[in-house]
Amino acid sequence: MGRSPCCEKAHTNKGAWTKEEDDRLIAYIRAHGEGCWRSLPKAAGLLRCGKSCRLRWINYLRPDLKRGNFTEEEDELIIMLHSLLGNKWSLIAGRLPGRTDNEIKNYWNTHIRRKLINRGIDPTTHRPINEPSTTEAASTISFASSIAAASKADEKKINSNNNGVFVVKEEKNPIQEKCPDLNLELRISPPSTSSSSSETLKTGGGMMSLCFTCRLGLQNSKECSCCSGASSGGIRISTRTKSGYDFLGLKAGVLDYRSLEMK
DNA sequence: AAGTTTCCCAACCGCGGACCC
DNA sequence: AGGGTCCGCGGTTGGGAAACT
């Protein structure tokens, strides 16, 4: 089979973009909007492939980009999101306004990895580096397995410590103890049952008590148990920082579950 | 000051999934 | 149903800048 090349490579520029190319791309997108990247270069008079144009626009030229250093709060949020989502940079970027997946990925690889290692934390698993695996009573979880596990009615507690380690303390369940990392299909959905005890989240200096709904950015919604008093329950995921980021990004109260589906 | 090494980040590459015919 | 095309994602690379010798 094989794929056809995305563009006519022989007649395209590669490497760093010039000011003139940037200007052309910006002018074209301002006039016609984003989209149809394949035909854009020709239409805009650029000797670039569509992918290259898309990347340049998304990662560098977009007007809503926040350039400059990451704040400490952004650091912690990235660590937290990475512990939940893994290398899903686009999802992580979606929760950090003005940041791109590429930027976050680079930042992770150059700064945060080192930072976590210095803290004695494995940046891949978010586990303490010296911690023996598997038979521990507490095990670090991936986002996928946490949600899948939580979708069962089992009561679990997900805690975080100051170092960006997120730990699930499992109630006794012999099956799960043997198979802690089931590769179950993930689908985020509203909590199905009500056993409402709010989760305490400790993030770098503050303790918060939030229900799952709030952590999805749906404060004051009817599902919220800690804001409105309505019952809610089910899974407990640490998703907010004291800075008020709306994890899963939707302060407006619109949650696109599809965008969070994972394998 | 010059050469070398390390760091950082923009850009590229290849793959998978969605969509269309 | 299946093949082709396009888009978006994540991993990797290349080269310029900064730090070090």
Side-chain angles (χ1 to χ4, degrees):
Chain A
M1 289 228 300
R3 290 169 53 87
S4 59
C6 71
C7 54
E8 188 73 44
K9 295 203 184 234
H11 302 105
T12 55
N13 292 340
K14 291 175 75 173
W17 279 65
T18 65
K19 180 80 171 62
E20 188 190 345
E21 286 176 314
D22 283 349
D23 290 343
R24 275 179 187 268
L25 182 57
I26 291 167
Y28 183 86
I29 290 177
R30 275 194 187 141
H32 302 94
E34 291 180 46
C36 202
W37 296 108
R38 190 179 169 84
S39 59
L40 184 150
K42 195 175 179 183
L46 289 163
L47 294 173
R48 293 273 179 176
C49 77
K51 280 173 99 168
S52 181
C53 293
R54 177 183 160 272
L55 216 58
R56 182 66 178 170
W57 174 254
I58 288 175
N59 288 332
Y60 203 81
L61 299 176
R62 248 170 47 198
D64 57 329
L65 288 181
K66 186 199 289 183
R67 312 297 301 180
N69 295 338
F70 283 75
T71 65
E72 192 62 32
E73 286 173 350
E74 284 175 313
D75 276 18
E76 295 305 320
L77 183 60
I78 291 168
I79 291 168
M80 181 170 68
L81 288 168
H82 186 272
S83 76
L84 296 170
L85 298 167
N87 292 0
K88 300 289 179 186
W89 305 116
S90 59
L91 283 178
I92 294 171
R95 314 308 157 201
L96 284 140
R99 302 293 189 186
T100 70
D101 54 354
N102 205 37
E103 191 179 12
I104 292 170
K105 180 173 59 182
N106 283 333
Y107 187 64
W108 176 270
N109 288 325
T110 56
H111 292 91
I112 299 183
R113 279 179 66 89
R114 201 174 309 150
K115 186 172 173 177
L116 288 180
I117 288 167
N118 287 340
R119 289 176 179 178
I121 294 164
D122 185 327
T124 307
T125 63
H126 292 263
R127 246 176 235 210
I129 284 167
N130 294 325
E131 181 190 81
S133 58
T134 63
T135 55
E136 289 285 294
S139 59
T140 309
I141 57 164
S142 67
F143 186 50
S145 57
S146 75
I147 299 294
S151 68
K152 302 173 181 184
D154 296 351
E155 181 68 330
K156 298 175 180 182
K157 292 191 172 69
I158 301 178
N159 295 321
S160 73
N161 65 18
N162 254 351
N163 296 329
V165 181
F166 293 84
V167 180
V168 176
K169 290 184 177 155
E170 309 241 351
E171 302 291 309
K172 282 294 174 194
N173 182 336
I175 296 171
Q176 289 194 346
E177 279 180 7
K178 287 180 181 175
C179 308
D181 197 13
L182 297 172
N183 186 19
L184 300 174
E185 182 175 358
L186 166 67
R187 203 174 287 255
I188 292 189
S189 59
S192 56
T193 59
S194 62
S195 62
S196 69
S197 62
S198 292
E199 163 71 0
T200 301
L201 170 64
K202 194 175 175 183
T203 55
M207 299 286 283
M208 292 183 291
S209 183
L210 292 166
C211 70
F212 174 61
T213 310
C214 281
R215 295 194 188 92
L216 290 175
L218 301 172
Q219 298 95 320
N220 298 316
S221 75
K222 63 179 181 181
E223 300 295 332
C224 173
S225 63
C226 64
C227 300
S228 67
S231 73
S232 171
I235 65 177
R236 307 264 179 263
I237 304 177
S238 308
T239 59
R240 285 197 65 196
T241 70
K242 61 182 177 181
S243 65
Y245 275 108
D246 54 327
F247 172 50
L248 307 181
L250 306 160
K251 275 182 175 160
V254 179
L255 178 61
D256 181 3
Y257 299 109
R258 287 183 312 150
S259 73
L260 290 157
E261 265 189 48
M262 300 177 71
K263 292 174 202 173

